[in-house]
């Protein structure tokens, strides 16, 4: 197993670790009999879907789990030979930051918003060293330079909200590496980042790990990321290790059906063949659509942001247009303007020939059911206090359907999205993430829309569930002959479902065309950059054929 | 930032204008002849006529308002009907005890409530937590005057630790007598606010303790105490400051009762006496004063947000 680490003992060795869940959970153990090692200078990816126990494992090693709820009952976690489970809280505090450090998924929330970033990095040195303030500052600047942050002398005094997501994650990494720990635990460190930023951060982690000889335990759900960074891979499912081996072995010759299924679910970057839709009038169109934020107030100098600039788009019945771009590209702004959740500054939005861009709220009401949206987070887009049925029938009843008719429609839609009509009486929390997204789709369809907007509708889902929901979206598009606007940051997903693709950057459309054509020969440099940054592009994942 | 402060101060002008109009109309629109109302039940017709003349009530209402507003802008709040002294003089005489009582109450409340609430949040579900919550419920439930009399009975009459009533100025009588006299009123007035702010602090800190950056701080090996102090409390501050601000605004009601119980010659007593005697100029003057203070406190709260949270910029 540990072929690269014969000279040194492993940095981390987890042996037969079991952690119990609190009573009343759906299973007894959060993790059960988990064993793996992380060698010096090695990146070990722990892969699994939500609920696989990968984060609990990491936090057990760090001693960050609430032991009341999650109790380690068996096994050892050896950090350079010392069993962490036997340490007192005070001893663990001594080790955290010094010998093991951790970076987290959300750089937006993992940093204290009211503390200067330099002070947050410096805190690490304050806790664990006897350095003076001036020395600390010098060292902080040094580690910030080490993670390739620009203008470090100024940035050291800025607050987290003044930095971009990628910069914040670099701050987190700088903080973790300030004391040169032997073990770095990275818990989905790039999941919340844009793909080009993700590529840079992955590069940085690889680079630092080589330079400092750090052992990295890298937790992720994304096989693309695994293909980019892993030396070895540990696959977890339902709290257990199902397969582990070198990256080469696991990715190219997976033994277990679960691993095969996970790898198979990763959407390919190669779009499947689709017949271009050229017939029929566009049902949704936007012309010269603009959205400008920020006007000057009484005392002038208001910052003006062009969130969407001169956007042109057309979608026909039965067609899916993908809008791809990174955060801040304006893709969501366009969607919101089309639904009139926000008012466009200028331009036209035509739904079946009627311009709704400047329509009054009262006149707009009649058109509301024509365009429906499925949002990103299925945990927050359903009202937790209402039954699923109540949520689905509310819209149709607003448009004059009787409750009985609306419920009948809701029932048949539940069957269409693959759930049972009997489930209408249940509450959202009784469903999984994927099921909830199905419910959101049913709710949108209940309005009998002409246009369906999917705003990052599959981004929060596990990869196996994602494939199913994508298929469902494609099915309902065909079945109801919908025009679909599919907004995503994920180029793999876009490749699989979109007839045409529109690439946005900083509020502007930089490229538009048939999906296959854009992927095969991108015309704009930004499109090329995006395609190149998609993780795992050059590895195993492209060897299988699309879908 | 300076532009914002300037804008906010400018915005107080129309607000104060509306308050002034309301205060003016309060007397003019009350049923019956204001002069008769002011003169009371045993006044003769000549008395009423004289008062009407004095108040300028024979003139058109617009002229009356303009004159009154003109006086107001010069800092003239009118003459008290019963004491015949300028309202500004009366208020100035009574301002010190009320301001100092308010100040000691705020300091005491914050000094007790925030550590209590933080402790409760940190040791959530423990005996300390339950104790704090119990105290909160009790604090909300006991009326100010009941608490006042209990404290007087136990601490002053039985244990003879503190004086029963009265007020001593720290400027003329010295700091020690002032503190001895102000202690009981301060405690009495504080209890309900301690209950309120401790609860708010507990809820706010508990929420912050769930945040990712608290986990980050723990992952750095920071001690629990410092996690609490450096990371949790400051992030919890914005809602707490809001409640403190609202509390100060609501303090006025408590001040009236407390000053009566402890026989403190402050604005609260002035309000009470003026209302009982229907001394309208005083009531008008005090409403204007309290409105102005309220607006000022709101501005200070908004500015305090920027101190606690760098993301808030005006």
């Amino acid at each position: 197993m540990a072929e690269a680490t014969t000279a040194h003992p492993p940095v981390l060795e987890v042996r037969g670790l079991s952690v119990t869940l609190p009573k009343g959970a759906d299973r007894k153990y959060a993790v059960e009999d988990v064993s793996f090692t992380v060698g010096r200078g090695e990146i070990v990816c722990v892969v699994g879907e939500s609920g696989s126990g990968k984060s609990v494992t990491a936090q057990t090693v760090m001693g960050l789990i609430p032991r009341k709820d999650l109790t380690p009952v068996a096994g050892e976690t050896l950090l350079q030979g010392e069993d962490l489970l036997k340490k007192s809280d005070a001893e663990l505090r001594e080790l955290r930051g010094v010998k093991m450090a951790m970076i987290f998924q959300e750089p937006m929330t993992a940093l204290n918003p009211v503390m200067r970033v330099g002070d947050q990095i410096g805190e690490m040195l304050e806790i664990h060293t006897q350095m003076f303030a001036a020395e600390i500052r010098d060292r902080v600047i040094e580690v910030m330079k080490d993670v390739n942050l620009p203008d470090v002398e100024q940035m050291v005094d800025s607050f987290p909200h003044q930095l971009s997501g990628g910069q914040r994650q670099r701050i987190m990494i700088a903080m973790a590496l300030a004391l040169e720990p032997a073990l770095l635990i990275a818990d989905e460190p790039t999941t919340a980042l844009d793909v080009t930023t993700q590529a840079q951060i992955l590069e940085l982690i690889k680079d630092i790990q080589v330079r400092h000889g750090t052992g990295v335990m890298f937790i992720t759900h994304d096989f693309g990321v695994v293909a980019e960074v892993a030396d070895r891979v540990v696959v977890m499912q339902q709290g257990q290790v199902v397969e582990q081996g070198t990256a080469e072995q696991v990715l190219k010759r997976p033994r277990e059906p679960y691993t095969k299924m996970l790898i198979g679910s990763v959407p390919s970057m190669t779009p499947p063949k689709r017949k271009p839709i050229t017939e029929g009038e566009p049902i949704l169109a936007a012309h010269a659509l603009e959205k400008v934020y920020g006007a000057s107030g009484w005392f002038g100098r208001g910052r003006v942001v062009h969130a969407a600039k001169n956007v042109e788009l057309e979608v026909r019945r039965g067609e899916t247009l993908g809008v791809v771009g990174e955060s801040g590209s304006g893709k969501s702004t366009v969607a919101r303007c089309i639904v009139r959740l926000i008012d466009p500054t200028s331009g036209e939005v035509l739904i079946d020939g009627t311009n709704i861009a400047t329509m009054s709220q009262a006149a707009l009401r009649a058109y509301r059911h024509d365009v429906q949206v499925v949002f990103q987070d299925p945990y927050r887009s359903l009202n937790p206090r209402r039954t699923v049925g109540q949520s689905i029938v509310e819209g149709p009843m607003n448009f004059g359907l009787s409750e009985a008719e609306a419920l009948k429609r809701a029932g048949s839609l539940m069957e269409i999205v693959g759930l049972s009509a009997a489930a209408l009486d249940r509450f959202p929390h009784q469903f999984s993430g994927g099921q909830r997204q199905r419910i959101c789709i049913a709710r949108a369809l209940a309005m009998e829309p002409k246009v369906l907007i999917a705003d990052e509708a599959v981004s929060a889902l596990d990869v196996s569930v994602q494939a199913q929901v994508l298929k469902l979206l494609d099915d309902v598009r065909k079945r109801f002959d919908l025009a679909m606007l599919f907004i995503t940051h994920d180029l793999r997903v876009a490749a699989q479902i979109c007839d045409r693709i529109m690439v946005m950057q900083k509020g502007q459309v930089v490229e538009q065309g048939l999906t296959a054509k854009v992927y095969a020969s991108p015309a704009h440099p930004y499109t090329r950059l995006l395609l190149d940054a998609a993780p795992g592009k050059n590895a195993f994942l492209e060897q299988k054929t699309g879908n | 930032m300076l532009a914002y402060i300037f804008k906010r101060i400018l915005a107080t002008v129309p607000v104060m204008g509306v308050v002034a109009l309301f205060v003016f109309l309060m007397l003019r629109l009350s049923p019956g002849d204001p002069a008769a109302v002011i003169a009371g039940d045993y006044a003769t017709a000549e008395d009423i006529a004289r008062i009407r003349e004095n108040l300028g009530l024979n003139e058109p209402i617009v002229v009356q308002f303009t004159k009154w507003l003109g006086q107001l802008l010069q800092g003239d709040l009118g003459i008290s009907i019963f004491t015949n002294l300028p309202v500004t003089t009366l208020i100035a005489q009574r301002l010190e005890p009320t301001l100092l009582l308010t100040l000691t109450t705020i300091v005491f409340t914050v000094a007790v409530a925030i550590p209590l609430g933080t402790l409760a949040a940190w040791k959530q579900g423990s005996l300390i937590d339950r104790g704090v919550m119990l105290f909160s419920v009790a604090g909300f439930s006991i009326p100010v005057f009941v608490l006042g009399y209990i404290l007087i009975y136990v601490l002053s009459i039985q244990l003879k630790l503190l004086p029963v009533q009265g007020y001593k100025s720290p400027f003329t009588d010295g700091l020690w007598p002032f503190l001895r006299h102000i202690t009981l009123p301060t405690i009495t007035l504080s209890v309900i606010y301690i209950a309120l702010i401790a609860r708010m602090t507990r809820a706010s800190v508990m929420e912050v303790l769930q945040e990712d950056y608290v986990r980050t701080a723990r992952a750095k090996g920071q001690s629990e105490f410092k996690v609490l102090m450096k990371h949790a409390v400051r992030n919890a501050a914005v809602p707490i400051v809001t409640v403190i601000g609202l509390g100060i605004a609501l303090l006025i009601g408590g001040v009236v009762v407390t000053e009566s119980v402890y026989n403190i010659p402050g604005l609260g007593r002035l309000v009470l006496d003026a209302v009982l005697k229907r001394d309208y100029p005083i009531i008008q003057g005090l409403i204007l004063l309290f409105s102005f203070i309220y607006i000022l406190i709101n501005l200070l709260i908004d500015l305090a947000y920027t101190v606690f949270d760098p993301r808030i910029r005006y």
Side-chain angles (χ1 to χ4, degrees):
Chain A
M1 213 162 54
E3 66 278 336
T5 58
T6 39
H8 300 275
V11 173
L12 176 70
E13 183 170 8
V14 175
R15 253 192 239 153
L17 178 69
S18 293
V19 178
T20 54
L21 279 168
K23 282 199 184 71
D26 60 344
R27 60 179 202 246
K28 192 171 175 214
Y29 293 103
V31 298
E32 193 178 354
D33 195 21
V34 164
S35 302
F36 64 92
T37 60
V38 179
R40 198 172 170 275
E42 186 183 42
I43 299 184
V44 175
C45 276
V46 180
V47 205
E49 301 193 287
S50 41
S52 63
K54 54 196 195 301
S55 283
V56 171
T57 308
Q59 300 205 8
T60 308
V61 172
M62 285 295 286
L64 289 174
I65 45 163
R67 289 203 185 178
K68 257 193 313 192
D69 301 325
L70 296 163
T71 323
V73 287
E76 299 174 306
T77 56
L78 304 168
L79 178 72
Q80 296 182 318
E82 290 181 273
D83 189 358
L84 297 169
L85 294 178
K86 294 208 177 78
K87 301 275 176 198
S88 71
D89 285 349
E91 286 169 322
L92 273 176
R93 274 202 295 275
E94 288 297 308
L95 293 171
R96 269 185 235 140
V98 180
K99 288 198 165 173
M100 54 180 177
M102 188 160 180
I103 51 181
F104 301 95
Q105 173 170 356
E106 282 286 346
M108 304 289 164
T109 56
L111 290 168
N112 185 341
V114 304
M115 209 169 156
R116 293 175 201 280
V117 293
D119 293 341
Q120 297 194 51
I121 300 173
E123 195 183 2
M124 198 73 136
L125 305 165
E126 243 169 61
I127 301 167
H128 298 290
T129 69
Q130 262 77 56
M131 287 162 87
F132 294 111
E135 290 175 284
I136 286 180
R137 196 180 162 87
D138 290 345
R139 174 68 185 147
V140 166
I141 288 173
E142 195 184 321
V143 293
M144 282 174 74
K145 284 182 178 157
D146 202 36
V147 295
N148 305 326
L149 281 164
D151 301 325
V152 168
E153 314 279 339
Q154 283 90 52
M155 196 181 278
V156 69
D157 290 322
S158 48
F159 289 100
H161 70 276
Q162 296 166 320
L163 310 181
S164 71
Q167 286 171 338
R168 286 185 229 193
Q169 200 59 298
R170 281 172 199 270
I171 295 284
M172 282 299 291
I173 295 172
M175 191 191 296
L177 294 173
L179 292 165
E180 310 235 336
L183 174 70
L184 176 67
I185 300 180
D187 189 352
E188 303 263 10
T190 59
T191 307
L193 303 175
D194 282 328
V195 348
T196 51
T197 317
Q198 164 166 303
Q200 292 163 8
I201 297 287
L202 290 179
E203 205 48 51
L204 175 70
I205 291 175
K206 276 198 282 187
D207 170 58
I208 278 171
Q209 168 262 340
V210 169
R211 267 193 288 145
H212 299 265
T214 319
V216 180
M217 174 179 168
F218 194 110
I219 293 164
T220 184
H221 70 282
D222 186 339
F223 267 97
V225 171
V226 175
E228 289 290 325
V229 299
D231 293 316
R232 285 191 304 113
V233 181
V234 178
V235 183
M236 287 185 74
Q237 180 194 18
Q238 296 273 312
Q240 290 173 324
V241 173
V242 291
E243 178 164 3
Q244 58 179 311
T246 63
E248 169 102 9
Q249 271 169 19
V250 174
L251 293 176
K252 291 200 173 151
R253 297 180 296 280
R255 287 191 312 269
E256 298 298 319
Y258 181 71
T259 315
K260 285 178 190 160
M261 186 276 288
L262 278 185
I263 294 174
S265 304
V266 178
S268 163
M269 281 290 275
T270 316
K273 285 212 167 53
R274 279 173 173 271
K275 218 175 96 203
I277 293 163
T278 48
E279 285 160 28
E281 279 296 293
I283 197 100
L284 166 69
H287 297 302
L289 190 67
E290 300 237 2
K291 178 65 191 177
V292 182
Y293 281 111
S296 45
W298 277 23
F299 290 87
R301 72 164 235 292
R303 207 165 67 100
V304 175
V305 178
H306 284 268
K309 220 169 167 181
N310 199 21
V311 172
E312 297 277 340
L313 63 86
E314 285 187 346
V315 194
R316 296 187 166 84
R317 274 193 186 280
E319 186 185 35
T320 303
L321 172 66
V323 184
V324 298
E326 301 189 292
S327 47
S329 65
K331 55 188 195 301
S332 286
T333 305
V334 168
R336 279 176 205 163
C337 283
I338 288 170
V339 203
R340 278 286 302 272
L341 285 175
I342 52 175
D343 294 334
T345 311
S346 63
E348 291 184 333
V349 174
L350 302 172
I351 306 292
D352 212 0
T354 313
N355 182 12
I356 63 155
T358 48
M359 209 174 248
S360 74
Q361 285 296 332
L364 190 63
R365 245 184 78 83
Y367 290 88
R368 282 280 184 214
H369 67 92
D370 281 344
V371 186
Q372 289 295 306
V373 192
V374 179
F375 292 100
Q376 171 168 5
D377 191 340
Y379 289 89
R380 284 191 293 185
S381 51
L382 287 168
N383 186 337
R385 305 256 184 280
R386 314 193 75 186
T387 65
V388 167
Q390 284 171 332
S391 284
I392 297 178
V393 300
E394 186 180 7
M397 283 173 66
N398 283 342
F399 282 89
L401 218 60
S402 76
E403 190 173 2
E405 283 173 274
L407 274 172
K408 211 175 128 221
R409 186 189 288 179
S412 69
L413 283 168
M414 287 290 274
E415 310 274 351
I416 289 173
V417 300
L419 297 167
S420 127
L424 283 175
D425 294 331
R426 285 157 66 186
F427 286 93
H429 70 264
Q430 295 168 290
F431 296 90
S432 70
Q435 287 172 329
R436 277 185 232 201
Q437 207 58 313
R438 287 170 189 273
I439 293 164
C440 290
I441 292 169
R443 177 173 63 176
L445 293 175
M447 299 293 279
E448 302 189 323
K450 294 172 181 160
V451 179
L452 185 66
I453 297 181
D455 190 354
E456 299 277 10
V458 298
S459 304
L461 304 175
D462 278 328
V463 58
S464 59
V465 182
Q466 187 178 58
Q468 296 162 12
V469 174
L470 268 183
K471 187 166 178 311
L472 174 66
L473 279 170
D474 212 32
D475 288 347
V476 299
R477 175 193 50 87
K478 277 185 214 138
R479 183 175 185 145
F480 297 98
D481 205 18
L482 296 169
M484 188 150 81
L485 197 63
F486 193 92
I487 290 149
T488 185
H489 70 285
D490 189 331
L491 290 154
R492 293 180 177 279
V493 168
Q496 294 312 310
I497 194 169
C498 301
D499 295 298
R500 284 187 298 122
I501 288 277
M502 188 170 113
V503 182
M504 289 191 72
Q505 183 193 21
K506 293 178 185 156
Q508 282 177 303
V509 179
V510 298
E511 182 163 1
Q512 193 164 175
L514 293 174
T515 308
K517 198 164 157 270
V518 171
Y519 277 65
S521 52
H524 195 276
Y526 181 68
T527 314
R528 247 169 283 152
L529 187 72
L530 280 183
L531 289 168
D532 283 343
K537 184 174 167 288
N538 301 316
F540 74 104
L541 290 164
E542 291 319 302
Q543 295 173 357
K544 61 196 173 97
T545 47
N547 240 358
Chain B
M1 185 72 168
L2 277 173
Y4 173 79
I5 296 174
F6 183 64
K7 212 155 67 176
R8 281 291 299 265
I9 290 173
L10 224 61
T12 61
V13 174
V15 176
M16 285 309 292
V18 172
V19 174
L21 187 66
F22 167 76
V23 162
F24 174 77
L25 292 177
M26 183 178 76
L27 181 57
R28 268 57 174 192
L29 294 183
S30 53
D33 185 347
V37 171
I38 288 167
D41 296 340
Y42 305 106
T44 62
E46 291 85 64
D47 288 341
I48 294 174
R50 187 171 42 80
I51 291 172
R52 191 177 292 138
E53 189 61 34
N54 280 348
L55 292 176
L57 291 175
N58 295 325
E59 291 173 80
I61 196 152
V62 179
V63 177
Q64 289 182 36
F65 182 62
T66 322
K67 273 190 176 172
W68 183 74
L69 205 62
Q71 288 175 352
L72 208 63
L73 290 177
Q74 290 165 29
D76 180 0
L77 292 174
I79 309 284
S80 156
I81 291 162
F82 284 90
T83 58
N84 261 327
L85 289 167
V87 173
T88 41
T89 312
L90 285 170
I91 289 178
Q93 282 174 356
R94 307 289 194 104
L95 202 56
E96 183 203 299
T98 303
L99 274 187
L100 289 178
L101 175 60
T102 314
L103 199 70
T104 52
T105 303
I106 295 167
V107 171
F108 184 67
T109 301
V110 170
V112 176
I114 290 181
L116 223 54
T118 310
L119 202 66
W122 186 31
K123 298 280 179 197
Q124 191 192 338
S126 70
L127 229 62
I128 300 171
D129 183 21
R130 282 182 219 170
V132 171
M133 294 308 279
L134 188 73
F135 169 79
S136 278
V137 174
F140 280 126
S141 316
I142 301 174
V144 172
F145 61 90
V146 173
L147 182 71
Y149 288 126
I150 293 173
L151 286 175
I152 291 174
Y153 180 76
V154 176
L155 291 173
S156 303
I157 297 173
Q158 294 297 316
L159 300 173
K160 299 194 192 315
L161 287 173
L162 292 162
V164 175
Q165 278 187 329
Y167 174 78
K168 292 275 186 271
S169 165
F171 306 109
T172 52
D173 305 309
L175 192 61
W176 181 241
F178 164 73
L179 286 177
R180 276 175 55 83
H181 281 84
I182 208 80
T183 303
L184 281 185
T186 302
I187 295 173
T188 309
L189 197 51
S190 295
V191 166
I192 189 164
Y193 297 104
I194 292 175
L196 178 72
I197 292 166
R199 270 193 94 124
M200 190 67 218
T201 305
R202 175 180 179 272
S204 191
V205 171
M206 248 157 67
E207 200 180 311
V208 169
L209 284 176
Q210 301 300 318
E211 295 285 344
D212 287 353
Y213 51 79
V214 169
R215 184 183 58 186
T216 305
R218 288 187 177 136
K220 286 181 197 174
Q222 187 61 281
S223 69
E224 276 300 302
F225 178 74
K226 282 201 172 159
V227 167
L228 214 54
M229 290 299 130
K230 281 182 81 166
H231 296 276
V233 175
R234 203 176 148 201
N235 273 290
V238 166
I240 300 173
V241 169
T242 310
V243 175
I244 292 176
L246 290 174
I248 297 172
L250 295 172
L251 211 59
I252 306 299
V255 165
V256 173
V257 180
T258 309
E259 288 186 354
S260 299
V261 170
Y262 291 99
N263 200 17
I264 296 171
L267 290 179
R269 289 283 306 283
L270 190 62
V271 173
L272 200 65
D273 295 344
V275 170
L276 290 176
K277 292 177 181 160
R278 294 199 223 166
D279 199 335
Y280 278 92
I282 297 183
I283 298 174
Q284 290 177 325
L286 288 169
I287 291 176
L288 285 170
L289 178 72
F290 288 146
S291 308
F292 184 68
I293 293 176
Y294 189 67
I295 291 170
L296 207 66
I297 288 170
N298 265 309
L299 176 61
L300 288 178
I301 295 169
D302 283 349
L303 294 179
Y305 290 160
T306 65
V307 175
F308 290 106
D309 193 337
R311 286 168 299 182
I312 300 175
R313 279 282 169 266
Y314 300 117

